[in-house]
Amino acid sequence: MNETIYWLMRLNYDKKNKRGDMMKVWEKNIRKVVPYTPGEQPEGKDIIKLNTNENPYPPSPKVLEAKANLAKLRLYPDATAKNLVSVLAEYHGLKENQIFVGVGSDDVLAMCFLTFFNSEKPIVFPDITYSFYDVWAELFNIPYVTKALNDSFELVAKDYYGENGGVIFPNPNAPTGLIADLDFIKDVLEHNQDVIVIVDEAYIDFGGESAVSLLKEYENLIVVRTFSKSRSMAGIRIGYAMGNAELIQYLNDVKYSYNSYTMNYPSLVLGVESVKDETYFKDTVSKVVATREWFEEELTRLGFTYPKSSSNFVFATHKTVPAKEIFEAARKEKIYVRYFDKPRIDNYLRITIGTDEEMKKFVAFLEKTLGYNS
Ligand code: PMP
């Protein structure tokens, strides 16, 4: 079985970093972790930035025109984020006590790891997935096992059966962009009724069916969303979790034991405006999806293969030219895509969908680099 088992209760950081000899006495009791590496944020003119799955379009005009009363910064923000929670509850047809908000879904997911994954049994997630999951597991000393995606990069339901300390996966998965259907999620839930199952829906607005509809049926399900992708608001840092009221209460208890005021006042105001503008949201998402469909065809023409994407990025490999070469050549031309030097995926590029104009420039770059004629 192609299964990698990690029982890393503590990282052997000193050995890895060859610092054993030089260690000061006070360093011995310091928590040492290997952090998550975020994508590059290059600055400068004429950059085509397709490396961190941001939305190429601005936030809703309602957000841009909103007037947050900055004199109010004098006060602490509303710790309960009531207005934002309320519009999100209405948007999803849930009760207010079923919504937990945080500083981007990274904050929400970290809180979920801390709150729900408190078993001695290992939690389970895919081997190729969002690379923050193992970082949180190690930070919080949560044992974990990873399950290999199959050769088509799909999650295999039966890998998630059996005793464990909880399950988490993104849907669509990242960096593959592949969606699992609701039958798959139900199957996983049916086989994991005694633990919490978290579905990270960072990219769900770009394709596929949301697991939110399953919340009625499964009290151990948590669905996590973000404003960073489909709502074009990565810079504001808003994410949220949905689940039954009891689970949300547990999340809030942990949050209020750590930092009550995570959501700043401007983000609370602007977040509400974004949720209110459904028309703009839908238009933006459909523009990204239309560009993605066009771009996938272009990739095929240029000799790439890729799992069919349901997100705002495509995970592609070329039949002859190594991904790393394309990545480096693109960078020289100020085109940034994401390359992961990791087993199984080191010949793939994750390419975020930009505007039509940006993608046309990227395709022109590929034609030139790969020696194709348009
Ligand atoms: N989940 C997945 C699968 C992601 O790719 C990302 C983006 N890095 C996040 C969560 C976190 O996004 P944010 O913190 O911006 O909401």
Side-chain angles (χ1 to χ4, degrees):
M1 188 164 58
N2 190 4
E3 173 182 314
T4 320
I5 301 194
Y6 297 97
W7 282 93
L8 287 179
M9 295 303 291
R10 195 95 198 164
L11 281 169
N12 200 344
Y13 181 94
D14 300 321
K15 211 157 140 196
K16 261 193 192 159
N17 291 279
K18 300 191 176 64
R19 334 182 3 183
D21 299 344
M22 291 145 50
M23 211 164 66
K24 308 245 178 25
V25 177
W26 49 259
E27 275 190 280
K28 286 209 175 98
N29 295 322
I30 287 177
R31 185 183 295 272
K32 300 177 191 81
V33 286
V34 179
Y36 169 75
T37 320
E40 236 180 308
Q41 293 293 357
E43 281 185 28
K45 272 175 53 186
D46 303 325
I47 283 170
I48 300 185
K49 193 171 177 305
L50 311 174
N51 67 335
T52 47
N53 297 344
E54 289 139 336
N55 198 308
Y57 302 107
S60 149
K62 287 207 162 72
V63 171
L64 302 181
E65 288 154 18
K67 304 254 182 306
N69 176 5
L70 295 186
K72 273 191 140 187
L73 292 179
R74 182 178 71 77
L75 303 170
Y76 283 104
D78 170 16
T80 65
K82 188 168 183 337
N83 294 345
L84 182 59
V85 163
S86 162
V87 290
L88 286 171
E90 195 186 328
Y91 182 79
H92 288 288
L94 299 170
K95 298 205 177 83
E96 288 178 13
N97 61 8
Q98 291 187 274
I99 310 275
F100 171 87
V101 293
V103 187
S105 52
D106 280 343
D107 178 46
V108 173
L109 288 163
M111 285 291 140
C112 288
F113 270 62
L114 199 51
T115 311
F116 301 129
F117 295 158
N118 197 25
S119 158
E120 273 161 24
K121 293 178 194 146
I123 61 163
V124 194
F125 51 84
D127 64 339
I128 299 167
T129 196
Y130 186 31
S131 50
F132 225 136
Y133 296 164
D134 56 351
V135 174
W136 287 313
E138 292 187 7
L139 175 65
F140 300 135
N141 281 341
I142 301 164
Y144 64 97
V145 296
T146 61
K147 299 290 177 177
L149 299 180
N150 69 16
D151 290 341
S152 314
F153 285 153
E154 292 156 334
L155 281 82
V156 180
K158 68 172 172 35
D159 287 346
Y160 299 83
Y161 299 177
E163 288 210 4
N164 60 60
V167 176
I168 178 161
F169 54 87
N171 200 38
N173 195 9
T176 63
L178 262 180
I179 188 88
D181 61 19
L182 282 195
D183 285 342
F184 170 90
I185 295 174
K186 273 191 184 176
D187 192 353
V188 171
L189 283 159
E190 288 296 330
H191 287 87
N192 287 284
Q193 302 200 14
D194 298 334
V195 293
I196 304 303
V197 175
I198 302 174
V199 183
D200 174 357
E201 291 193 338
Y203 302 100
I204 194 71
D205 293 319
F206 300 105
E209 242 184 299
S210 168
V212 169
S213 62
L214 302 179
L215 289 171
K216 289 192 284 308
E217 226 174 307
Y218 297 94
E219 61 176 22
N220 58 328
L221 170 64
I222 287 280
V223 179
V224 177
R225 292 277 186 98
T226 177
F227 279 46
S228 300
K229 322 290 176 180
S230 51
R231 294 195 175 277
S232 310
M233 290 174 81
I236 200 90
R237 312 305 298 131
I238 300 177
Y240 57 106
M242 295 170 274
N244 87 62
E246 214 179 323
L247 293 187
I248 297 302
Q249 183 62 51
Y250 283 124
L251 267 178
N252 274 316
D253 289 347
V254 168
K255 174 202 164 147
Y256 292 133
S257 310
Y258 182 77
N259 177 2
S260 326
Y261 299 111
T262 57
M263 308 299 290
N264 66 64
Y265 164 68
S267 76
L268 293 176
V269 172
L270 302 183
V272 169
E273 293 305 318
S274 168
V275 181
K276 281 189 189 159
D277 197 349
E278 179 70 358
T279 312
Y280 180 84
F281 166 75
K282 282 197 171 140
D283 282 356
T284 311
V285 166
S286 50
K287 277 205 279 189
V288 171
V289 170
T291 307
R292 180 187 76 205
E293 305 288 308
W294 170 82
F295 180 62
E296 283 187 334
E297 281 174 26
E298 290 294 285
L299 283 177
T300 306
R301 176 175 70 81
L302 296 171
F304 285 89
T305 53
Y306 46 86
K308 177 88 195 85
S309 172
S310 290
S311 58
N312 68 339
F313 56 85
V314 182
F315 196 54
T317 184
H318 192 262
K319 62 183 179 203
T320 52
V321 185
K324 199 168 180 196
E325 248 174 60
I326 303 172
F327 167 75
E328 279 163 3
R331 211 165 178 281
K332 283 195 186 122
E333 308 248 335
K334 297 208 259 184
I335 303 174
Y336 292 81
V337 296
R338 191 90 191 249
Y339 172 72
F340 300 95
D341 201 356
K342 287 187 173 174
R344 290 188 77 192
I345 58 169
D346 59 358
N347 202 21
Y348 280 80
L349 296 174
R350 193 197 67 190
I351 307 153
T352 304
I353 301 300
T355 59
D356 283 342
E357 198 193 337
E358 286 173 323
M359 299 320 279
K360 279 182 190 151
K361 284 189 184 156
F362 183 55
V363 166
F365 155 81
L366 289 175
E367 280 169 348
K368 190 181 72 179
T369 307
L370 305 170
Y372 279 78
N373 294 317
S374 48

